[in-house]
Amino acid sequence: MFAVHLLAFHFTKLKEDQIKKVDRYLYHMRLSDDVLLDVMARFQAEMVKGLGRDTNSTATVKMLPTFVRSLPDGSEKGDFLAVDLGGSQFRALEVKVFNDGKQSSQLESKFYPTPKEVIQGSGTELFNYVADCLLDFMESKNLQHKKLPLGFTFSFPCKQTKLEEGALLAWTKHFKVRGVQGTDVVSSLRKALQKHKDIDVDVLAMVNDTVGTMMTCGYDDPHCEVGLIIGTGTNACYMEEMRHIDLVEGDEGRMCINTEWGAFGDDGALDDLRTEFDRELDLGSLNPGKQLFEKMISSLYLGELVRLILLKMTKEGLLFNGKVSTALLTKDKIEMKHVCAMEKYKEGLSNTKEILTELNLFPSEEDCIAVQHVCTIVSFRSANLCAAALAAILTRLRENKKVLRLRTTVGIDGGLYKTHPQYPKRLHKVVRRLVPNCDVRFLLSQSGSAKGAAMVTAVAYRLAAQRKQIDAVLAPFRLSLDTLREVKNKMRAELEYGLKRETQASATVKMLPTYVCGTPDGTESGKFLALDLGGTNFRVLLVKIRSGRRRSVQMYNKIFAIPLEIMQGTGEELFDHIVQCIADFLEYMGIKGARLPLGFTFSFPCRQASIDKGTLVGWTKGFKATDCEGEDVVDMLREAIRRRNEFDLDIVAVVNDTVGTMMTCGYEDPNCEIGLIAGTGSNVCYMEDMKNIEIVEGNEGKMCINTEWGGFGDNGCIDNIRTKYDIQVDEGSLNAGKQRYEKMTSGMYLGEIVRQILIDLTKQGLLFRGQISESLRKRGIFETKFLSQIESDRLALLQVRRILQQLGLDSTCEDSIIVKEVCGAVSRRAAQLCGAGLAAIVEKKRENRGVEHLQITVGVDGTLYKLHPHFSRVLQETVRELAPQCDVTFMLSEDGSGKGAALITAVAKRLHNIGRK
């Protein structure tokens, strides 16, 4: 028994001694975590270089765009062919994808050899061989009479310009085919296929084996966004944000990048880590100085690296008693399969001894221990370097997504990963150590990269079909210039109807006289109160206007909320609430005893008989207070003040917010004679010649007309451009059948139009995996502010997804792109329709003045115009196109409904005093 223990101790001691000897000898191949973190940082820098337009030409990691923009979502279906060229064998496949709710697929394939004369012959011979093999496969499956789409896995570095177009950059993996480099390989394959008249195949996509692996695994796991090959060659791909890819136009969504990381270090970036054995191996390769990272990692070279190390150790007398055998002198004699077998530790040393004996090396026990440890160090270094580069990609994904912790899946294929007994465990362990903030699942590709080519083709098919459906939904929102001209002309006709006595009663654009007959001239001064009622908040303001050289306007204000029960209660309750707010403000400002002139901004359609009399035509913007319509709102306010019996005010003017906006800008620019509101509501006012206003006595001077253009189309004149979504929004509103133009152009309704479209697209299976969430069913959930945020140029799709998540909508990257497109179509149409209406107004002003060319300023207010990233630009472009003889300046109003009301009151006081004099 003692002898057995002694023997075991002796073996352990012998093993330790041999391992230490090899460790000392191969010290430079043992990489610490600090070194690996440094490699990771170097690789990250190369990735950035490869993505940049100006730096890509000098980058070793080429970061090639693949034009694969979407991962499988489970809705793909159909029959697809695939061919896979890139390894020691060529494969043809038929892949059937079923949309049965189980994400199932069926695969049949056939392998063909790749003879040396083919892989080192001419391009014509290679592609003819591929076409012949495919024909053989199709005949064996009785497919030759079917028209089928085909995906082409071509596992060599290519510069792609389309999904189905790519030029070969360089051959790798012992391929040396003449006349192919720099040419489009898909064209070459198509030409070869066209020689076979009896088959009809459409090559839709070309992918790299790495991309194919990611797509295959992505079909089974939606979190898979990285592909990794560790076999005869090595490479990685991942889904990159489009905004970071300078080589491709556009910044929406993501695209798969084929890193071609095998060339990492070709510029000397890894020279400090390369050993004398790496250099010797490189010099003896088919492509010296190239693919240096691949030569340190891939199975094609690891066996040869082991041979070179063993040869030197033997020459130095450290192995095999210094006897150099023919096997050690023969290039590629030791293969990866030998390394894998020798590292099966469970077998002890038996495999190692058997393999070395077959190679006529006749090892001792010490030799077997040493050789096994050499294999371990070489393969471990491969796993370490692979892990460092993969960790760089995972870190980039995490940073792109701006998350503290990343959850993702890496799809893997390749003989080294599949057959080496220790490699997967080592790789996983090191990756998790280098990126502890990434939860990584490693998913082995079961069907190889060729199924991935079929999946890319299936996804391309799905996206093309979806694009047709989305275009059909959004087509009615894309208005032509002719349609916009027609809208402008109809608006112009409605303006005329509203001004004429005999047609005003039935006109949809009411053209209400405001009795504001002048704009500020700079002589206004004094203290004024202003009230502002037009939305869910109510404001009271004290405005101090100073005239002369030190002309200025100072404002003090307080905001009060109007609860829903007040908005939709009785008129008496509403005006009592308003007077309560005024009382609070007067006390807050210490001016309760002063009888100040007051301007009341009342942003609802009113028919005025004078500047201080306004009869409410009808509520808008969600107000429904009873006993108000048909009543004079100034009288209602005076009654409420009398009921409270605490203070008295001189109500000089009731004004619309649109008029206030024009007056505010008119104070700065005397050329401003138009006011536009593009916010919660939509409206325009302008200074009209008195002679054209038939419903008011007198022909001299001008008067501001409040168009109340929101009702344009209520007579059906724009029904041809209303969509089913507009009709749904209208029918679900508080005032169905009214304010149709406003419901297509104002902020209060645009979000709801978007929601209706999203529901329809989801029902068609084009969004949110066909699942309508509870939140999407809620009316009003999609506020217009979300359109402004989603359409912001500065906003990455990641942030769009976050906004949608806040709304309870679990979206993919592709969903986010579609939602952004829907928001863009709805807001663009709104801006164009608003521009068409405004063009009718400025053209009318030009004709009123009798000039060929008009210069005029439009004062503008409203959150949609101010905050939406594109609304103002599109509106201005539309006005320029539809009214080319008008030079229109757009001026943003500063508080039109507050300051404007005070200015109107001041102008009214000034004109009143002039009248008295």
Side-chain angles (χ1 to χ4, degrees):
M1 191 72 180
F2 174 74
V4 171
H5 282 300
L6 190 64
L7 194 63
F9 173 77
H10 172 71
F11 178 76
T12 305
K13 184 78 173 65
L14 179 71
K15 190 171 183 180
E16 283 175 2
D17 289 344
Q18 286 299 97
I19 286 171
K20 281 178 185 174
K21 180 173 77 175
V22 174
D23 280 346
R24 281 193 300 273
Y25 195 79
L26 297 180
Y27 172 77
H28 290 298
M29 281 192 162
R30 294 171 61 79
L31 307 176
S32 69
D33 278 4
D34 284 344
V35 170
L36 293 177
L37 287 167
D38 184 43
V39 171
M40 182 176 150
R42 293 184 213 181
F43 189 77
Q44 280 178 302
E46 276 300 307
M47 289 170 76
V48 172
K49 206 171 162 185
L51 288 170
R53 182 177 279 110
D54 299 331
T55 49
N56 175 269
S57 59
T58 57
T60 56
V61 179
K62 283 300 176 190
M63 305 295 282
L64 302 171
T66 64
F67 294 83
V68 171
R69 298 172 188 264
S70 181
L71 294 162
D73 71 354
S75 64
E76 294 79 14
K77 60 180 178 181
D79 287 11
F80 305 93
L81 288 172
V83 290
D84 183 4
L85 179 67
S88 53
Q89 288 184 306
F90 167 75
R91 187 154 67 133
L93 306 91
E94 180 194 12
V95 181
K96 291 184 177 180
V97 183
F98 306 102
N99 184 11
D100 54 4
K102 300 174 187 174
Q103 283 191 232
S104 56
S105 61
Q106 188 179 312
L107 184 146
E108 290 189 56
S109 68
K110 189 173 179 181
F111 286 93
Y112 297 88
T114 46
K116 191 173 181 180
E117 61 271 20
V118 170
I119 66 169
Q120 294 187 7
S122 72
T124 305
E125 289 167 339
L126 172 68
F127 289 105
N128 283 347
Y129 178 73
V130 170
D132 291 343
C133 293
L134 181 63
L135 176 63
D136 175 74
F137 174 74
M138 291 179 76
E139 285 176 343
S140 70
K141 301 294 175 190
N142 200 25
L143 299 171
Q144 66 270 34
H145 303 302
K146 283 188 178 180
K147 181 177 173 64
L148 292 172
L150 178 137
F152 182 21
T153 302
F154 187 73
S155 306
F156 305 93
C158 283
K159 184 177 181 181
Q160 284 187 254
T161 43
K162 293 179 188 170
L163 186 59
E164 72 286 5
E165 185 176 288
L168 175 69
L169 293 175
W171 287 113
T172 54
K173 309 174 199 171
H174 294 326
F175 275 68
K176 277 280 183 183
V177 182
R178 299 183 304 278
V180 180
Q181 204 165 324
T183 66
D184 176 19
V185 293
V186 176
S187 292
S188 300
L189 177 59
R190 281 180 176 144
K191 279 177 195 168
L193 289 169
Q194 282 164 6
K195 292 174 186 174
H196 297 285
K197 303 295 181 191
D198 43 351
I199 60 171
D200 188 1
V201 172
D202 187 9
V203 186
L204 283 191
M206 182 191 85
V207 297
N208 179 283
D209 54 347
T210 325
V211 181
T213 296
M214 180 187 76
M215 294 298 275
T216 300
C217 296
Y219 187 65
D220 299 317
D221 182 345
H223 292 290
C224 183
E225 51 193 342
V226 182
L228 175 63
I229 296 284
I230 319 168
T232 320
T234 181
N235 195 13
C237 70
Y238 72 103
M239 295 301 288
E240 177 61 86
E241 300 288 325
M242 277 291 290
R243 68 184 190 277
H244 295 150
I245 309 171
D246 287 355
L247 302 171
V248 179
E249 290 301 314
D251 56 5
E252 299 276 295
R254 301 197 299 171
M255 182 181 285
C256 180
I257 288 290
N258 167 23
T259 65
E260 286 299 338
W261 76 7
F264 177 41
D266 286 6
D267 58 353
L270 297 177
D271 281 2
D272 57 327
L273 301 180
R274 292 174 70 226
T275 65
E276 58 182 299
F277 309 110
D278 294 307
R279 290 186 175 87
E280 191 176 344
L281 180 144
D282 176 45
L283 287 171
S285 69
L286 285 170
N287 54 350
K290 292 179 179 176
Q291 300 295 108
L292 298 182
F293 189 61
E294 183 170 84
K295 287 169 186 170
M296 298 167 82
I297 289 181
S298 83
S299 62
L300 192 63
Y301 301 100
L302 295 192
E304 178 62 6
L305 203 54
V306 168
R307 182 189 74 82
L308 292 171
I309 294 166
L310 299 185
L311 176 61
K312 187 170 183 193
M313 289 180 76
T314 305
K315 283 180 178 178
E316 292 180 11
L318 299 171
L319 286 175
F320 311 124
N321 294 319
K323 291 177 184 173
V324 177
S325 70
T326 309
L328 286 182
L329 292 169
T330 308
K331 189 172 180 262
D332 295 329
K333 191 69 178 175
I334 295 178
E335 298 173 32
M336 196 61 221
K337 65 180 181 182
H338 298 136
V339 176
C340 291
M342 287 191 279
E343 281 198 73
K344 286 182 179 172
Y345 301 135
K346 288 180 182 175
E347 311 286 329
L349 297 174
S350 59
N351 276 357
T352 308
K353 188 164 188 173
E354 187 181 322
I355 289 163
L356 294 175
T357 304
E358 281 175 11
L359 295 169
N360 295 319
L361 291 168
F362 308 111
S364 65
E365 197 167 8
E366 292 97 319
D367 291 335
C368 289
I369 294 167
V371 170
Q372 191 179 62
H373 197 53
V374 167
C375 292
T376 298
I377 288 175
V378 168
S379 62
F380 216 128
R381 184 186 71 158
S382 166
N384 279 342
L385 288 171
C386 189
L390 181 58
I393 289 173
L394 295 170
T395 300
R396 184 164 181 87
L397 274 175
R398 186 180 63 78
E399 288 171 354
N400 281 351
K401 294 186 178 188
K402 293 181 172 62
V403 289
L404 293 174
R405 192 160 198 87
L406 175 73
R407 180 192 172 194
T408 193
T409 298
V410 177
I412 307 192
D413 203 354
L416 181 56
Y417 186 89
K418 284 179 174 177
T419 59
H420 192 288
Q422 316 298 330
Y423 203 97
K425 194 191 300 179
R426 289 171 185 165
L427 178 74
H428 303 172
K429 198 173 177 182
V430 180
V431 166
R432 287 175 180 135
R433 216 163 58 230
L434 294 178
V435 280
N437 46 9
C438 296
D439 297 324
V440 188
R441 179 190 180 203
F442 292 88
L443 181 61
L444 189 62
S445 172
Q446 298 298 328
S447 311
S449 54
K451 179 185 172 184
M455 289 314 308
V456 171
T457 309
V459 168
Y461 240 58
R462 166 175 65 80
L463 292 176
Q466 286 180 349
R467 175 42 47 201
K468 275 185 184 174
Q469 288 173 276
I470 292 164
D471 284 346
V473 166
L474 297 182
F477 290 88
R478 292 173 177 141
L479 305 178
S480 68
L481 205 53
D482 285 344
T483 302
L484 291 170
R485 275 197 196 94
E486 190 184 323
V487 171
K488 180 190 85 167
N489 294 337
K490 285 178 179 176
M491 175 67 84
R492 179 62 195 277
E494 291 294 317
L495 299 176
E496 298 296 345
Y497 294 150
L499 288 171
K500 289 190 167 32
R501 185 176 281 107
E502 65 271 19
T503 51
Q504 204 273 340
S506 60
T508 58
V509 180
K510 287 296 177 191
M511 303 297 281
L512 304 172
T514 65
Y515 295 86
V516 171
C517 297
T519 52
D521 68 357
T523 63
E524 295 79 15
S525 65
K527 287 182 183 178
F528 303 89
L529 275 180
L531 310 181
D532 176 15
L533 177 67
T536 51
N537 289 329
F538 169 66
R539 280 193 311 158
V540 188
L541 305 95
L542 174 64
V543 183
K544 295 178 181 177
I545 303 172
R546 182 183 284 175
S547 61
R549 282 195 308 171
R550 297 176 66 190
R551 197 174 79 153
S552 65
V553 177
Q554 282 181 299
M555 292 190 296
Y556 309 88
N557 75 87
K558 200 168 183 187
I559 298 171
F560 302 89
I562 300 185
L564 187 65
E565 61 270 20
I566 299 282
M567 285 170 68
Q568 298 183 7
T570 67
E572 195 169 292
E573 286 168 341
L574 174 63
F575 280 92
D576 283 348
H577 178 76
I578 288 169
V579 171
Q580 169 72 59
C581 297
I582 297 170
D584 289 351
F585 179 76
L586 294 176
E587 199 161 300
Y588 172 73
M589 294 299 296
I591 52 171
K592 212 165 190 179
R595 190 175 187 273
L596 296 175
L598 179 143
F600 183 14
T601 299
F602 188 75
S603 305
F604 303 92
C606 280
R607 186 171 281 107
Q608 288 186 252
S610 66
I611 197 164
D612 64 345
K613 287 190 180 300
T615 304
L616 177 64
V617 174
W619 285 117
T620 57
K621 307 176 198 172
F623 276 74
K624 270 285 184 182
T626 58
D627 307 320
C628 294
E629 292 180 2
E631 299 294 325
D632 181 355
V633 293
V634 176
D635 283 348
M636 293 186 81
L637 179 60
R638 285 182 178 136
E639 282 296 319
I641 291 170
R642 270 199 286 274
R643 275 197 300 276
R644 192 170 183 89
N645 197 25
E646 275 185 30
F647 54 84
D648 193 20
L649 298 170
D650 176 18
I651 305 171
V652 174
V654 59
V655 299
N656 181 280
D657 55 348
T658 324
V659 184
T661 295
M662 182 188 76
M663 294 295 271
T664 304
C665 294
Y667 186 69
E668 306 294 335
D669 179 355
N671 207 26
C672 180
E673 292 197 356
I674 300 174
L676 167 67
I677 296 286
T680 314
S682 177
N683 196 15
V684 159
C685 72
Y686 72 103
M687 296 302 290
E688 177 60 89
D689 293 350
M690 282 291 290
K691 65 178 187 288
N692 295 331
I693 310 170
E694 293 185 5
I695 52 174
V696 178
E697 294 301 316
N699 290 324
E700 294 300 312
K702 295 179 182 180
M703 182 184 286
C704 181
I705 289 291
N706 166 22
T707 65
E708 286 299 338
W709 76 0
F712 174 49
D714 288 1
N715 58 359
C717 71
I718 55 169
D719 280 2
N720 61 313
I721 59 167
R722 288 178 80 223
T723 67
K724 65 177 181 179
Y725 311 107
D726 295 308
I727 292 163
Q728 286 166 345
V729 168
D730 178 39
E731 286 174 350
S733 69
L734 289 168
N735 56 347
K738 294 179 180 176
Q739 299 295 104
R740 289 181 179 180
Y741 182 66
E742 182 170 76
K743 286 169 186 171
M744 297 165 82
T745 56
S746 81
M748 187 161 189
Y749 301 97
L750 299 190
E752 185 59 18
I753 296 171
V754 167
R755 187 183 76 90
Q756 294 291 350
I757 298 170
L758 299 187
I759 287 173
D760 191 18
L761 291 174
T762 307
K763 283 178 180 174
Q764 292 183 47
L766 302 170
L767 269 181
F768 311 129
R769 299 176 186 84
Q771 303 296 312
I772 301 175
S773 65
E774 280 308 307
S775 59
L776 194 58
R777 295 180 198 276
K778 289 178 190 168
R779 185 172 183 81
I781 186 76
F782 208 98
E783 295 172 46
T784 298
K785 70 176 181 182
F786 296 132
L787 270 78
S788 296
Q789 291 170 7
I790 285 168
E791 287 188 71
S792 171
D793 292 327
R794 297 187 305 278
L795 207 64
L797 282 174
L798 176 69
Q799 289 157 293
V800 175
R801 286 177 75 177
R802 282 191 187 142
I803 290 168
L804 295 174
Q805 279 164 1
Q806 286 169 23
L807 297 171
L809 303 170
D810 183 21
S811 68
T812 63
C813 180
E814 288 74 29
D815 289 337
S816 302
I817 292 171
I818 294 167
V819 170
K820 192 169 183 178
E821 188 180 354
V822 169
C823 291
V826 170
S827 63
R828 183 176 177 80
R829 183 192 68 160
Q832 287 179 320
L833 287 175
C834 205
L838 190 57
I841 303 273
V842 295
E843 275 291 321
K844 177 159 180 45
K845 287 291 294 178
R846 186 180 67 79
E847 288 174 23
N848 282 357
R849 287 194 196 172
V851 293
E852 197 169 319
H853 195 85
L854 174 72
Q855 278 201 313
I856 196 163
T857 298
V858 177
V860 195
D861 204 352
T863 49
L864 191 57
Y865 187 91
K866 284 180 172 177
L867 301 181
H868 191 281
H870 309 300
F871 189 94
S872 59
R873 175 182 53 79
V874 175
L875 184 145
Q876 290 173 29
E877 284 171 0
T878 307
V879 172
R880 271 197 301 274
E881 283 183 302
L882 298 181
Q885 291 168 275
C886 301
D887 183 6
V888 184
T889 301
F890 289 84
M891 184 179 188
L892 273 178
S893 163
E894 288 179 37
D895 195 12
S897 47
K899 182 177 171 182
L903 282 166
I904 289 167
T905 307
V907 169
K909 277 285 188 189
R910 172 172 62 80
L911 294 175
H912 180 67
N913 291 338
I914 291 168
R916 280 170 59 190
K917 286 176 186 176

